[in-house]
């Protein structure tokens, strides 16, 4: 009877380690994206990264709308990863841009290779 408990604990630990790895990977992708697209990146200080989550509710037309809206501090040309599949990962972050507190949601492709779209909150 003890074996099912070990299996449940093992599965839970695997899920926890996978989630932690995905969280770190998403942070790295967002930081790389910001570094290559924000002109004054040296003024960016990260306050908080929220948990990574998945979504299937973002349509291709909404992605196009999000890509057309560019915040003022994103003065470099923005290139995005192509969308692969319907599921996207999302991560919200709060950061300081000089003295201004900003908040954004970044949508990352399901293979965790790059930002597909983002929006300011």
């Amino acid at each position: 009877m003890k074996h099912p408990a070990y299996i449940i604990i093992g599965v839970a630990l695997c899920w926890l380690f996978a989630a932690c790895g995905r969280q770190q990977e998403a942070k790295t992708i967002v930081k790389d994206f910001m570094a290559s697209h924000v002109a004054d990146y040296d003024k960016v200080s990260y306050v908080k990264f929220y948990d990574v989550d998945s979504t299937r509710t973002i349509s291709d037309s909404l992605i196009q709308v999000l890509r057309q809206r560019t915040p003022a501090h994103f003065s470099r040309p923005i290139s995005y990863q192509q969308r692969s599949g319907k599921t996207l990962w999302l991560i919200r972050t709060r950061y300081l841009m000089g003295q201004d507190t900003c908040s954004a949601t970044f949508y990352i492709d399901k293979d965790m290779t790059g930002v597909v779209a983002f929006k300011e909150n």
Side-chain angles (χ1 to χ4, degrees), residues 3-106:
H3 295 292
Y6 290 127
I7 292 172
I8 292 171
I9 291 171
V11 168
L13 287 174
C14 288
W15 178 83
L16 178 64
F17 289 131
C20 291
R22 192 168 36 240
Q23 180 78 14
Q24 188 58 43
E25 197 171 352
K27 284 183 185 180
T28 302
I29 290 169
V30 168
K31 287 179 179 180
D32 290 347
F33 181 82
M34 295 279 287
S36 64
H37 294 94
V38 175
D40 294 330
Y41 184 69
D42 57 331
K43 295 181 182 177
V44 174
S45 299
Y46 296 97
V47 175
K48 181 173 183 166
F49 282 92
Y50 295 87
D51 289 339
V52 172
D53 200 358
S54 64
T55 181
R56 296 182 62 135
T57 60
I58 304 295
S59 67
D60 290 333
S61 59
L62 181 56
I63 287 174
Q64 292 304 320
V65 169
L66 292 175
R67 287 179 175 181
Q68 292 171 1
R69 297 180 182 169
T70 304
H73 55 273
F74 281 80
S75 58
R76 294 184 183 158
I78 297 178
S79 58
Y80 295 98
Q81 293 295 102
Q82 293 296 322
R83 186 173 181 186
S84 59
K86 295 201 180 273
T87 301
L88 295 175
W89 296 106
L90 65 93
I91 185 168
R92 288 186 23 220
T93 185
R94 241 181 339 159
Y95 59 95
L96 295 175
M97 182 68 184
Q99 296 296 324
D100 298 327
T101 301
C102 304
S103 178
T105 302
F106 293 86

